[in-house]
Amino acid sequence: MQQGLFLWHALRFVQKGGFMRKNCISLAAAAMAAFLLASCGSAPSAGSQSQETSSLESTQSSLAQERGVSQGKTHEVIDHAGNHVQVPDEIDTIVIDQIPILSTYMAYFQGHAPYIAGFAGTFKDSISKTVLDEIAPELMEAQNTVYAQGDLNIEEIMNLKPDVIFYNAGNKEHYEILQKTGIPCVGFATIKGSDTPADPLTRYKEWLHLLEDVFGEKGKMDEFLAYGDEMVGEIRTTIDAIPQENRPNAMILFQLKEGVPQVAGKGVFGDFWLKNLGVVNVAEETQGFAQVSFEQIYNWNPDLLFLNGPGISSIRTQDVLNNSLEGADFSSLDAVKNQRVYNTTLGMWNWFTPNPDAPLVYAWLAVKAYPEEFKDYPLQDKIKEYYSKFYGYDLKDGEIAEMLEY
């Protein structure tokens, strides 16, 4: 592990600059040779390990002096997994593994996405279907770092030479692989990965606060978060005044996987959205993204049916209302009979996952769940103002219509 870390720092030093090129190449070659000998040879004795460690520390210290880097130019971050991570004060290259944080990251930089060299390749398809493609097109230029959302391409990550890696704090297997590179790894919680509940109304704030820690800018997002909290508070006040007998129950169809329905059961993001909405999740007897039968759904017979949006599921409202889904029939549900089927829209991201549009998502859900109580709510105006004020982007009429047409 130490030899690998030494090799990594030596190679990064060569590629990012330092003393004369000839000396750099010699140093990298020496590091490579040392690494190969350590890897292929027999296990060293305790004495040789001690000498090796001392030599390594000395060499790293020399490298730091040559580059003008001191130990004081890092700072400690406690990530969502509880790890204490030393990250550079100056960051110019980031790789993101698995977490759908790109829209929240963009919000942190008020409409831009600097420093990102690579992320999960499957996210590019999601970005291409959102307005995020227009706001931060630089994201489409990033390299893929995994073959799919869950399969690491560690060689590609190393080739990108990131200063820090953002990873899914709930994926311990990925962490074990990533931390062996010697690159600082900062874990962001998704559904799992921390002791806090997976409530999208709080999770996106936790992500932003951790970004403040990483970049050493405590309080940077205070105005943004306060604005969102005010929106959420106003909506919640109206919902709290609605009698329980006037509240519908609801179900979220996560996706159809090979013709088998998956619903948002207890503990996932969708379940928390319904809790915030003050409605009963008819699928709360299940756990996670649960596979269920159509017979079970017919038995639950929800008043409201929410469909997970593009980026995860391609099913649209009209597919369900017109009963045109192959191998699926929802026509007997009260939600379908009463035309109360809604597809989560795509603003920055799929709206059922944590994202910086969270207060807008809450408003949209409230308008759909309680049309009478929120009949005068200026949803489109709120969305336009939010995007302009915090993302530096003026939504066109066609864009906002597309966002809300699902």
Side-chain angles (χ1 to χ4, degrees), residues 330-375:
F330 297 97
S331 61
S332 65
L333 300 181
D334 285 347
V336 176
K337 293 176 181 177
N338 297 322
Q339 306 280 293
R340 303 200 70 185
V341 179
Y342 308 107
N343 191 311
T344 55
T345 63
L346 272 173
M348 285 297 100
W349 205 254
N350 180 290
W351 267 8
F352 271 170
T353 58
N355 70 91
D357 284 356
L360 302 177
V361 181
Y362 193 40
W364 175 81
L365 286 166
V367 168
K368 297 303 183 185
Y370 306 108
E372 183 61 31
E373 288 80 1
F374 286 91
K375 63 183 179 182

Short mmCIF file of all heavy atoms in Angstrom, two decimals, residues 330-375:
data_model
loop_
_atom_site.label_atom_id
_atom_site.label_comp_id
_atom_site.label_asym_id
_atom_site.label_seq_id
_atom_site.Cartn_x
_atom_site.Cartn_y
_atom_site.Cartn_z
N PHE A 330 -52.62 -1.11 -15.65
CA PHE A 330 -52.95 -0.37 -14.44
C PHE A 330 -54.37 0.22 -14.52
O PHE A 330 -54.76 1.02 -13.68
CB PHE A 330 -51.96 0.78 -14.23
CG PHE A 330 -50.54 0.34 -14.02
CD1 PHE A 330 -49.63 0.31 -15.06
CD2 PHE A 330 -50.10 -0.05 -12.76
CE1 PHE A 330 -48.32 -0.08 -14.87
CE2 PHE A 330 -48.79 -0.45 -12.55
CZ PHE A 330 -47.90 -0.48 -13.61
N SER A 331 -55.13 -0.18 -15.51
CA SER A 331 -56.40 0.49 -15.83
C SER A 331 -57.45 0.37 -14.74
O SER A 331 -58.36 1.20 -14.67
CB SER A 331 -56.97 -0.05 -17.15
OG SER A 331 -57.23 -1.44 -17.06
N SER A 332 -57.33 -0.62 -13.86
CA SER A 332 -58.35 -0.80 -12.83
C SER A 332 -58.11 0.07 -11.60
O SER A 332 -58.97 0.14 -10.71
CB SER A 332 -58.41 -2.27 -12.40
OG SER A 332 -57.20 -2.66 -11.77
N LEU A 333 -56.97 0.75 -11.54
CA LEU A 333 -56.65 1.56 -10.36
C LEU A 333 -57.47 2.85 -10.34
O LEU A 333 -57.71 3.47 -11.38
CB LEU A 333 -55.16 1.92 -10.35
CG LEU A 333 -54.15 0.77 -10.31
CD1 LEU A 333 -52.73 1.33 -10.28
CD2 LEU A 333 -54.40 -0.14 -9.11
N ASP A 334 -57.85 3.27 -9.14
CA ASP A 334 -58.57 4.53 -8.99
C ASP A 334 -57.74 5.70 -9.52
O ASP A 334 -58.29 6.65 -10.09
CB ASP A 334 -58.92 4.77 -7.52
CG ASP A 334 -60.08 3.90 -7.04
OD1 ASP A 334 -60.77 3.29 -7.90
OD2 ASP A 334 -60.27 3.81 -5.81
N ALA A 335 -56.43 5.64 -9.32
CA ALA A 335 -55.56 6.72 -9.80
C ALA A 335 -55.67 6.89 -11.30
O ALA A 335 -55.65 8.02 -11.82
CB ALA A 335 -54.11 6.44 -9.40
N VAL A 336 -55.79 5.78 -12.03
CA VAL A 336 -55.90 5.83 -13.48
C VAL A 336 -57.31 6.28 -13.88
O VAL A 336 -57.48 7.14 -14.77
CB VAL A 336 -55.57 4.45 -14.10
CG1 VAL A 336 -55.77 4.49 -15.61
CG2 VAL A 336 -54.13 4.07 -13.76
N LYS A 337 -58.31 5.72 -13.25
CA LYS A 337 -59.70 6.08 -13.57
C LYS A 337 -59.95 7.57 -13.36
O LYS A 337 -60.70 8.20 -14.12
CB LYS A 337 -60.66 5.28 -12.70
CG LYS A 337 -60.67 3.78 -12.99
CD LYS A 337 -61.59 3.04 -12.02
CE LYS A 337 -61.60 1.55 -12.29
NZ LYS A 337 -62.44 0.82 -11.30
N ASN A 338 -59.31 8.13 -12.34
CA ASN A 338 -59.50 9.55 -12.01
C ASN A 338 -58.43 10.46 -12.62
O ASN A 338 -58.35 11.64 -12.27
CB ASN A 338 -59.52 9.73 -10.49
CG ASN A 338 -60.68 9.01 -9.84
OD1 ASN A 338 -61.79 8.97 -10.39
ND2 ASN A 338 -60.45 8.41 -8.68
N GLN A 339 -57.62 9.90 -13.53
CA GLN A 339 -56.58 10.67 -14.23
C GLN A 339 -55.59 11.32 -13.26
O GLN A 339 -55.11 12.44 -13.49
CB GLN A 339 -57.23 11.76 -15.10
CG GLN A 339 -58.28 11.26 -16.08
CD GLN A 339 -57.65 10.65 -17.34
OE1 GLN A 339 -57.04 11.36 -18.13
NE2 GLN A 339 -57.82 9.36 -17.51
N ARG A 340 -55.25 10.59 -12.21
CA ARG A 340 -54.32 11.14 -11.22
C ARG A 340 -53.00 10.34 -11.26
O ARG A 340 -52.55 9.79 -10.26
CB ARG A 340 -54.93 11.14 -9.82
CG ARG A 340 -56.25 11.91 -9.73
CD ARG A 340 -56.56 12.31 -8.32
NE ARG A 340 -55.65 13.34 -7.83
CZ ARG A 340 -55.65 13.80 -6.57
NH1 ARG A 340 -56.51 13.30 -5.67
NH2 ARG A 340 -54.79 14.73 -6.21
N VAL A 341 -52.43 10.32 -12.43
CA VAL A 341 -51.15 9.66 -12.68
C VAL A 341 -50.16 10.73 -13.11
O VAL A 341 -50.41 11.46 -14.07
CB VAL A 341 -51.27 8.57 -13.76
CG1 VAL A 341 -49.91 7.91 -14.02
CG2 VAL A 341 -52.30 7.53 -13.36
N TYR A 342 -49.04 10.83 -12.43
CA TYR A 342 -48.10 11.92 -12.68
C TYR A 342 -46.68 11.38 -12.78
O TYR A 342 -46.23 10.61 -11.93
CB TYR A 342 -48.17 12.97 -11.57
CG TYR A 342 -49.57 13.45 -11.30
CD1 TYR A 342 -50.25 13.06 -10.14
CD2 TYR A 342 -50.25 14.26 -12.21
CE1 TYR A 342 -51.54 13.48 -9.88
CE2 TYR A 342 -51.55 14.69 -11.96
CZ TYR A 342 -52.19 14.30 -10.80
OH TYR A 342 -53.48 14.71 -10.56
N ASN A 343 -45.98 11.84 -13.79
CA ASN A 343 -44.59 11.46 -13.98
C ASN A 343 -43.69 12.56 -13.41
O ASN A 343 -43.84 13.72 -13.78
CB ASN A 343 -44.29 11.26 -15.47
CG ASN A 343 -42.95 10.62 -15.74
OD1 ASN A 343 -41.94 11.05 -15.20
ND2 ASN A 343 -42.94 9.61 -16.57
N THR A 344 -42.78 12.19 -12.51
CA THR A 344 -41.86 13.19 -11.99
C THR A 344 -41.07 13.80 -13.13
O THR A 344 -40.58 13.11 -14.01
CB THR A 344 -40.87 12.57 -10.98
OG1 THR A 344 -40.20 11.48 -11.59
CG2 THR A 344 -41.59 12.10 -9.75
N THR A 345 -40.96 15.08 -13.11
CA THR A 345 -40.33 15.78 -14.22
C THR A 345 -38.82 15.79 -14.07
O THR A 345 -38.27 15.38 -13.05
CB THR A 345 -40.83 17.24 -14.28
OG1 THR A 345 -40.43 17.90 -13.07
CG2 THR A 345 -42.33 17.31 -14.41
N LEU A 346 -38.17 16.28 -15.08
CA LEU A 346 -36.72 16.41 -15.05
C LEU A 346 -36.35 17.88 -15.12
O LEU A 346 -36.57 18.53 -16.13
CB LEU A 346 -36.10 15.67 -16.25
CG LEU A 346 -35.79 14.20 -16.03
CD1 LEU A 346 -35.34 13.58 -17.34
CD2 LEU A 346 -34.70 14.04 -14.99
N GLY A 347 -35.83 18.40 -14.05
CA GLY A 347 -35.27 19.73 -14.07
C GLY A 347 -33.77 19.56 -14.13
O GLY A 347 -33.18 19.27 -15.15
N MET A 348 -33.14 19.65 -12.95
CA MET A 348 -31.70 19.40 -12.86
C MET A 348 -31.39 17.92 -12.97
O MET A 348 -30.35 17.51 -13.44
CB MET A 348 -31.17 19.90 -11.52
CG MET A 348 -31.04 21.39 -11.42
SD MET A 348 -29.87 22.04 -12.60
CE MET A 348 -30.99 22.63 -13.83
N TRP A 349 -32.31 17.10 -12.47
CA TRP A 349 -32.04 15.67 -12.36
C TRP A 349 -33.38 14.97 -12.20
O TRP A 349 -34.43 15.62 -12.17
CB TRP A 349 -31.16 15.40 -11.13
CG TRP A 349 -30.35 14.14 -11.22
CD1 TRP A 349 -30.57 12.98 -10.56
CD2 TRP A 349 -29.20 13.93 -12.03
NE1 TRP A 349 -29.61 12.05 -10.90
CE2 TRP A 349 -28.75 12.62 -11.81
CE3 TRP A 349 -28.47 14.73 -12.92
CZ2 TRP A 349 -27.63 12.07 -12.43
CZ3 TRP A 349 -27.36 14.20 -13.55
CH2 TRP A 349 -26.96 12.88 -13.30
N ASN A 350 -33.35 13.65 -12.09
CA ASN A 350 -34.57 12.95 -11.73
C ASN A 350 -35.05 13.49 -10.38
O ASN A 350 -34.30 13.48 -9.40
CB ASN A 350 -34.29 11.45 -11.64
CG ASN A 350 -35.53 10.65 -11.26
OD1 ASN A 350 -36.00 10.73 -10.15
ND2 ASN A 350 -36.05 9.89 -12.22
N TRP A 351 -36.28 13.94 -10.34
CA TRP A 351 -36.73 14.70 -9.18
C TRP A 351 -37.00 13.85 -7.94
O TRP A 351 -37.25 14.39 -6.87
CB TRP A 351 -37.97 15.50 -9.56
CG TRP A 351 -37.62 16.89 -10.00
CD1 TRP A 351 -36.39 17.39 -10.24
CD2 TRP A 351 -38.53 17.96 -10.25
NE1 TRP A 351 -36.46 18.71 -10.64
CE2 TRP A 351 -37.78 19.09 -10.65
CE3 TRP A 351 -39.92 18.10 -10.20
CZ2 TRP A 351 -38.35 20.32 -10.98
CZ3 TRP A 351 -40.49 19.31 -10.53
CH2 TRP A 351 -39.71 20.41 -10.92
N PHE A 352 -36.98 12.53 -8.02
CA PHE A 352 -37.18 11.73 -6.82
C PHE A 352 -35.87 11.43 -6.09
O PHE A 352 -35.87 10.89 -4.99
CB PHE A 352 -37.90 10.42 -7.13
CG PHE A 352 -39.41 10.55 -7.07
CD1 PHE A 352 -40.22 9.54 -7.53
CD2 PHE A 352 -40.01 11.67 -6.54
CE1 PHE A 352 -41.60 9.64 -7.48
CE2 PHE A 352 -41.39 11.80 -6.47
CZ PHE A 352 -42.19 10.77 -6.95
N THR A 353 -34.73 11.75 -6.70
CA THR A 353 -33.44 11.58 -6.04
C THR A 353 -33.01 12.93 -5.45
O THR A 353 -33.53 13.97 -5.84
CB THR A 353 -32.37 11.09 -7.03
OG1 THR A 353 -32.27 12.02 -8.11
CG2 THR A 353 -32.73 9.73 -7.59
N PRO A 354 -32.08 12.94 -4.51
CA PRO A 354 -31.62 14.23 -3.97
C PRO A 354 -31.07 15.12 -5.07
O PRO A 354 -30.29 14.68 -5.92
CB PRO A 354 -30.50 13.80 -3.00
CG PRO A 354 -30.83 12.41 -2.62
CD PRO A 354 -31.42 11.80 -3.85
N ASN A 355 -31.50 16.36 -5.09
CA ASN A 355 -31.04 17.30 -6.10
C ASN A 355 -31.35 18.71 -5.62
O ASN A 355 -32.19 18.90 -4.73
CB ASN A 355 -31.71 17.00 -7.45
CG ASN A 355 -33.18 17.32 -7.46
OD1 ASN A 355 -33.60 18.41 -7.81
ND2 ASN A 355 -34.01 16.35 -7.06
N PRO A 356 -30.71 19.72 -6.18
CA PRO A 356 -30.89 21.08 -5.67
C PRO A 356 -32.25 21.69 -5.97
O PRO A 356 -32.57 22.75 -5.45
CB PRO A 356 -29.77 21.86 -6.38
CG PRO A 356 -29.55 21.11 -7.66
CD PRO A 356 -29.74 19.68 -7.29
N ASP A 357 -33.05 21.01 -6.81
CA ASP A 357 -34.42 21.45 -7.07
C ASP A 357 -35.39 21.00 -5.98
O ASP A 357 -36.61 21.18 -6.12
CB ASP A 357 -34.92 20.89 -8.41
CG ASP A 357 -34.36 21.61 -9.61
OD1 ASP A 357 -33.63 22.59 -9.43
OD2 ASP A 357 -34.62 21.16 -10.74
N ALA A 358 -34.90 20.40 -4.91
CA ALA A 358 -35.76 19.76 -3.92
C ALA A 358 -36.95 20.62 -3.46
O ALA A 358 -38.08 20.11 -3.39
CB ALA A 358 -34.93 19.31 -2.72
N PRO A 359 -36.78 21.90 -3.15
CA PRO A 359 -37.95 22.69 -2.77
C PRO A 359 -38.99 22.79 -3.89
O PRO A 359 -40.20 22.82 -3.63
CB PRO A 359 -37.36 24.07 -2.44
CG PRO A 359 -35.95 23.78 -2.06
CD PRO A 359 -35.53 22.67 -2.98
N LEU A 360 -38.52 22.83 -5.15
CA LEU A 360 -39.44 22.86 -6.29
C LEU A 360 -40.16 21.53 -6.45
O LEU A 360 -41.35 21.49 -6.81
CB LEU A 360 -38.68 23.19 -7.58
CG LEU A 360 -37.89 24.50 -7.60
CD1 LEU A 360 -37.14 24.64 -8.92
CD2 LEU A 360 -38.82 25.70 -7.38
N VAL A 361 -39.45 20.45 -6.19
CA VAL A 361 -40.08 19.12 -6.25
C VAL A 361 -41.21 19.04 -5.24
O VAL A 361 -42.31 18.54 -5.54
CB VAL A 361 -39.04 18.02 -5.95
CG1 VAL A 361 -39.70 16.64 -6.03
CG2 VAL A 361 -37.86 18.09 -6.91
N TYR A 362 -40.95 19.54 -4.05
CA TYR A 362 -41.96 19.53 -3.00
C TYR A 362 -43.19 20.34 -3.42
O TYR A 362 -44.34 19.92 -3.20
CB TYR A 362 -41.35 20.09 -1.72
CG TYR A 362 -42.15 19.87 -0.47
CD1 TYR A 362 -42.81 18.68 -0.22
CD2 TYR A 362 -42.24 20.87 0.50
CE1 TYR A 362 -43.53 18.48 0.94
CE2 TYR A 362 -42.94 20.68 1.67
CZ TYR A 362 -43.59 19.48 1.89
OH TYR A 362 -44.30 19.28 3.05
N ALA A 363 -42.94 21.47 -4.04
CA ALA A 363 -44.05 22.30 -4.52
C ALA A 363 -44.85 21.58 -5.59
O ALA A 363 -46.09 21.59 -5.58
CB ALA A 363 -43.51 23.62 -5.05
N TRP A 364 -44.15 20.94 -6.53
CA TRP A 364 -44.82 20.21 -7.61
C TRP A 364 -45.66 19.07 -7.06
O TRP A 364 -46.82 18.87 -7.46
CB TRP A 364 -43.77 19.69 -8.59
CG TRP A 364 -44.32 18.83 -9.68
CD1 TRP A 364 -44.92 19.25 -10.83
CD2 TRP A 364 -44.32 17.40 -9.73
NE1 TRP A 364 -45.30 18.17 -11.60
CE2 TRP A 364 -44.95 17.02 -10.95
CE3 TRP A 364 -43.87 16.40 -8.88
CZ2 TRP A 364 -45.12 15.68 -11.31
CZ3 TRP A 364 -44.04 15.07 -9.24
CH2 TRP A 364 -44.66 14.73 -10.45
N LEU A 365 -45.12 18.32 -6.13
CA LEU A 365 -45.86 17.22 -5.51
C LEU A 365 -47.12 17.74 -4.79
O LEU A 365 -48.19 17.13 -4.88
CB LEU A 365 -44.97 16.48 -4.51
CG LEU A 365 -43.88 15.58 -5.10
CD1 LEU A 365 -42.87 15.19 -4.02
CD2 LEU A 365 -44.50 14.33 -5.72
N ALA A 366 -46.98 18.85 -4.09
CA ALA A 366 -48.11 19.41 -3.36
C ALA A 366 -49.22 19.85 -4.31
O ALA A 366 -50.41 19.62 -4.06
CB ALA A 366 -47.65 20.60 -2.51
N VAL A 367 -48.83 20.47 -5.43
CA VAL A 367 -49.82 20.90 -6.43
C VAL A 367 -50.57 19.70 -6.99
O VAL A 367 -51.79 19.77 -7.21
CB VAL A 367 -49.12 21.69 -7.55
CG1 VAL A 367 -50.06 21.90 -8.73
CG2 VAL A 367 -48.63 23.04 -7.02
N LYS A 368 -49.88 18.59 -7.22
CA LYS A 368 -50.52 17.39 -7.77
C LYS A 368 -51.37 16.65 -6.73
O LYS A 368 -52.45 16.15 -7.05
CB LYS A 368 -49.45 16.44 -8.33
CG LYS A 368 -48.65 17.02 -9.50
CD LYS A 368 -49.55 17.44 -10.64
CE LYS A 368 -48.75 17.95 -11.83
NZ LYS A 368 -49.62 18.47 -12.91
N ALA A 369 -50.89 16.60 -5.49
CA ALA A 369 -51.61 15.86 -4.46
C ALA A 369 -52.82 16.62 -3.93
O ALA A 369 -53.84 16.02 -3.60
CB ALA A 369 -50.66 15.53 -3.31
N TYR A 370 -52.70 17.95 -3.89
CA TYR A 370 -53.75 18.78 -3.30
C TYR A 370 -54.12 19.91 -4.27
O TYR A 370 -53.84 21.09 -4.01
CB TYR A 370 -53.29 19.36 -1.97
CG TYR A 370 -52.79 18.34 -0.98
CD1 TYR A 370 -51.44 18.22 -0.68
CD2 TYR A 370 -53.68 17.47 -0.32
CE1 TYR A 370 -50.97 17.29 0.24
CE2 TYR A 370 -53.24 16.54 0.60
CZ TYR A 370 -51.88 16.44 0.87
OH TYR A 370 -51.43 15.51 1.79
N PRO A 371 -54.72 19.58 -5.40
CA PRO A 371 -54.98 20.61 -6.43
C PRO A 371 -55.87 21.74 -5.95
O PRO A 371 -55.69 22.88 -6.39
CB PRO A 371 -55.64 19.81 -7.55
CG PRO A 371 -56.14 18.56 -6.90
CD PRO A 371 -55.21 18.25 -5.81
N GLU A 372 -56.79 21.47 -5.07
CA GLU A 372 -57.70 22.53 -4.60
C GLU A 372 -56.95 23.50 -3.68
O GLU A 372 -57.04 24.73 -3.83
CB GLU A 372 -58.89 21.92 -3.86
CG GLU A 372 -59.92 22.94 -3.39
CD GLU A 372 -60.54 23.72 -4.54
OE1 GLU A 372 -60.67 23.17 -5.66
OE2 GLU A 372 -60.91 24.91 -4.32
N GLU A 373 -56.21 22.94 -2.73
CA GLU A 373 -55.49 23.78 -1.76
C GLU A 373 -54.36 24.58 -2.41
O GLU A 373 -54.00 25.66 -1.91
CB GLU A 373 -54.93 22.92 -0.63
CG GLU A 373 -55.98 22.37 0.33
CD GLU A 373 -56.70 21.13 -0.21
OE1 GLU A 373 -56.37 20.68 -1.35
OE2 GLU A 373 -57.59 20.62 0.49
N PHE A 374 -53.82 24.08 -3.51
CA PHE A 374 -52.70 24.76 -4.16
C PHE A 374 -53.06 25.27 -5.56
O PHE A 374 -52.18 25.48 -6.40
CB PHE A 374 -51.50 23.81 -4.26
CG PHE A 374 -50.79 23.57 -2.95
CD1 PHE A 374 -51.18 22.52 -2.12
CD2 PHE A 374 -49.78 24.41 -2.51
CE1 PHE A 374 -50.53 22.29 -0.91
CE2 PHE A 374 -49.13 24.20 -1.30
CZ PHE A 374 -49.51 23.13 -0.49
N LYS A 375 -54.35 25.52 -5.78
CA LYS A 375 -54.79 25.94 -7.11
C LYS A 375 -54.20 27.28 -7.53
O LYS A 375 -54.06 27.56 -8.73
CB LYS A 375 -56.31 25.97 -7.18
CG LYS A 375 -56.97 26.97 -6.24
CD LYS A 375 -58.49 26.87 -6.31
CE LYS A 375 -59.15 27.84 -5.35
NZ LYS A 375 -60.65 27.72 -5.38
#
